[in-house]
Amino acid sequence: MKVFVASLATETNTFSPVPTDRANFLAAFYAPPGRHPATPTLCSAVFPSLRSRASREGFELVEGTATWADPGGLVQRQTYEALRDEILDQLRAALPVNAVVLGLHGAMVAQGYDDCEGDLLARVRALAGPDAVIGATFDPHSHLTPKRVENLDILNAFLEFPHTDFVARAEQVVDLTLRAVRGEIRPVISVFDCRMIDVLPTSQQPMRGFIDSLRALEGQDTVLSVSLIHGFLAGDVPELGARMVVITDNDPERGARLAREKGMDLFALRGATRMTQHGVEEALHLAAARVAAGATRPVVLADTWDNPGGGVAGDGTLILRAMLDAGLNDVGVATIWDPMAVTFCLAAGEGATLTLRFGGKSGPGAGDPIDATVTVLKAVTEAWESFGASRVPLGASSVVRIAGTRVDVILNTNRAQTFDPDIFSGLGIDIAEKKYLVVKSTNHFYAAFQPVADEILYVDAGTHYPSDARRTRYRKLSRPIWPIVEDPHAVEA
Ligand SMILES: [Zn+2]
């Protein structure tokens, strides 16, 4: 038995002004054949899983390239085609194979390609042939197209958001693929279009219980795997939206019935799953009230939609501007992405005072640049923060204090979501002296900030991130979905 494995992944925010090219893949994660580390990445956990199965069971594993770019805007056409063809050439050289396993994200969009993964899978199928078993893992924040399903035998998505189960899901796809190659199962994929798009965190109810109910179905009778594709709000593609996926052992009727049943169960939860969000004014009012009441720890304001983890620039200034206007003091901001301003701070040097324009430069919608007299408290060529056990590079970074205040702002050159309070301490900001912290993250910051925060407030600052489908001008969406249409299941697609 011979199995080929590769991984090509990123999450494309088609509304983002930050283009994605090969340099973004090389900078984030790029492992040529045989060079994948022993540890998994989010979208390449099929590599270590297949390695251990191959060494235990004695089949031949041929490794292709594994690569990932941090979320950003549209992928350059040449970049996508070159990475795709690199993997296809590796597969061609490995033929014949019994199986192909791919670690995908599922929300990659390139210039001229709304469905990169569908394009890749169709080409993989054409090379590997109709008898090869093809399996793939997806991030649930993705788009499930018919082209992908047609060319796959096995697929699943992480059930958890945050994606704490990505290793277990990769192991499931590997296991089902190997069982299919050995003729132990005949997988059939059933998909139901839930015709909705929403934010579906599983760390809280009602999604916690819903995901548990999906997990309970796996392994019952003929049900091999159940997945929920959440969809990805920031991808303007025809298939945008949630899909329920059930894989059965040759039991398409039961698969279709279950997918519809659970899909409609999810539809019934629409609008009830998000974290509570505040507008800027309301959030600042609530935060100031906590401070006035004698909070001994900082109030954390999460700028949920100016989160580089969702592909935006992360140079938004709306919350900081409002805090300055409101006269709030003792503030720490992590971070505002501004490579030009960091260059200026490095040139001016630590201790220097200068007039600086920072933030709000990448495009409209996230606030105007801030012009201020600042003192450079810190200017370094490399900085980082923790994310669990891993280190996230911030690139060259500086800390500026706005004149006449104790408002300290971290400026960075690598777009990075805020994950950990050590982003502040690493750059000399003592959060014990701060009353307010502003972070750029939707939910991944929560675990590390919760223990040091008086309170956490999620803020919808009104940035241009397409967080509300009703207000987003999707041009390619091809069918009715909630919340754009109140009852899309009553409408002919
Ligand atoms: Zn995701």
Side-chain angles (χ1 to χ4, degrees):
M1 189 200 304
K2 193 197 268 188
V3 180
F4 176 82
V5 62
S7 176
L8 175 55
T10 190
E11 180 182 78
T12 303
N13 175 344
T14 60
F15 301 90
S16 170
V18 187
T20 302
D21 72 352
R22 191 176 182 90
N24 295 109
F25 284 89
L26 297 181
F29 176 69
Y30 178 83
R35 301 280 297 280
H36 192 288
T39 49
T41 74
L42 185 68
C43 295
S44 71
V46 289
F47 273 75
S49 171
L50 273 164
R51 280 178 186 170
S52 74
R53 293 290 297 259
S55 70
R56 230 180 321 148
E57 297 161 30
F59 60 84
E60 186 183 352
L61 179 64
V62 181
E63 296 189 5
T65 295
T67 187
W68 153 265
D70 288 321
L74 213 55
V75 178
Q76 188 191 85
R77 173 191 280 268
Q78 297 93 315
T79 296
Y80 164 65
E81 290 177 346
L83 290 170
R84 174 196 71 191
D85 293 348
E86 180 176 323
I87 288 170
L88 293 174
D89 287 346
Q90 293 158 352
L91 171 60
R92 196 176 287 111
L95 294 174
V97 297
N98 303 93
V100 176
V101 180
L102 297 173
L104 304 173
H105 181 288
M108 186 190 300
V109 184
Q111 295 161 346
Y113 293 90
D114 284 338
D115 181 11
C116 291
E117 290 83 355
D119 174 64
L120 172 66
L121 286 165
R123 290 166 191 270
V124 165
R125 172 62 73 192
L127 281 178
D131 297 333
V133 178
I134 303 180
T137 55
F138 292 94
D139 187 293
H141 300 113
S142 58
H143 319 288
L144 190 61
T145 68
K147 194 171 185 179
R148 300 180 193 185
V149 179
E150 275 162 30
N151 289 293
L152 281 165
D153 300 286
I154 305 282
L155 75 96
N156 76 9
F158 318 138
L159 285 171
E160 302 293 340
F161 172 39
H163 308 319
T164 50
D165 61 337
F166 67 95
V167 171
R169 297 304 274 178
E171 285 170 351
Q172 187 194 57
V173 158
V174 166
D175 184 61
L176 293 176
T177 302
L178 295 177
R179 285 169 66 191
V181 170
R182 289 169 178 144
E184 295 165 17
I185 52 170
R186 287 182 58 198
V188 178
I189 303 172
S190 301
V191 178
F192 178 73
D193 180 357
C194 307
R195 292 200 183 176
M196 62 177 277
I197 183 78
D198 207 347
V199 180
L200 306 169
T202 62
S203 45
Q204 62 182 40
Q205 294 294 7
M207 283 307 293
R208 178 69 266 143
F210 183 74
I211 290 298
D212 289 340
S213 80
L214 298 187
R215 213 183 276 287
L217 291 170
E218 293 188 326
Q220 274 191 21
D221 305 323
T222 53
V223 179
L224 299 171
S225 170
V226 182
S227 294
L228 170 63
I229 301 289
H230 298 195
F232 183 53
L233 274 164
D236 186 6
V237 297
E239 291 88 357
L240 172 80
R243 300 280 194 305
M244 188 61 64
V245 183
V246 177
I247 303 183
T248 57
D249 186 3
N250 199 26
D251 194 354
E253 265 174 42
R254 182 175 161 84
R257 196 172 63 242
L258 257 186
R260 159 171 268 281
E261 196 179 296
K262 298 310 291 184
M264 289 308 289
D265 284 353
L266 177 77
F267 188 72
L269 299 178
R270 68 195 181 284
T273 57
R274 291 193 187 204
M275 305 82 82
T276 304
Q277 298 242 311
H278 305 283
V280 177
E281 203 178 321
E282 185 188 34
L284 296 190
H285 181 77
L286 290 169
R290 293 296 309 176
V291 169
T296 55
R297 290 181 291 182
V299 178
V300 174
L301 299 150
D303 194 349
T304 48
W305 300 117
D306 193 42
N307 168 18
V312 299
D315 69 342
T317 57
L318 291 166
I319 295 178
L320 176 58
R321 177 83 268 163
M323 294 179 98
L324 293 171
D325 290 348
L328 298 183
N329 208 346
D330 301 299
V331 177
V333 179
T335 59
I336 290 180
W337 178 66
D338 195 331
M340 186 194 283
V342 172
T343 305
F344 288 6
C345 291
L346 281 164
E350 290 183 1
T353 296
L354 69 158
T355 52
L356 186 70
R357 168 169 287 197
F358 64 90
K361 296 170 184 168
S362 69
D368 293 326
I370 290 184
D371 290 293
T373 301
V374 303
T375 300
V376 180
L377 299 184
K378 200 93 184 166
V380 296
T381 54
E382 260 181 72
W384 56 273
E385 64 174 322
S386 298
F387 180 38
S390 62
R391 274 163 72 113
V392 178
L394 305 173
S397 301
S398 57
V399 178
V400 296
R401 171 167 291 185
I402 294 176
T405 73
R406 289 177 304 276
V407 176
D408 299 339
V409 182
I410 299 173
L411 306 172
N412 63 332
T413 52
N414 273 10
R415 294 185 306 113
Q417 175 168 194
T418 314
F419 291 115
D420 194 287
D422 69 4
I423 198 169
F424 290 104
S425 55
L427 284 162
I429 299 173
D430 183 359
I431 61 170
E433 292 175 0
K434 297 301 180 194
K435 295 189 172 83
Y436 309 94
L437 299 175
V438 179
V439 301
K440 299 285 177 86
S441 176
T442 308
N443 208 23
H444 279 309
F445 75 97
Y446 186 89
F449 275 88
Q450 198 272 335
V452 302
D454 173 74
E455 186 163 16
I456 286 173
L457 298 168
Y458 294 93
V459 188
D460 181 349
T463 70
H464 57 176
Y465 190 92
S467 59
D468 180 356
R470 273 167 297 214
R471 292 185 307 184
T472 306
R473 291 178 60 198
Y474 295 111
R475 291 164 200 278
K476 295 183 172 170
L477 183 62
S478 60
R479 63 203 202 294
I481 62 169
W482 182 91
I484 300 167
V485 174
E486 201 46 50
D487 188 2
H489 292 285
V491 182
E492 279 299 308

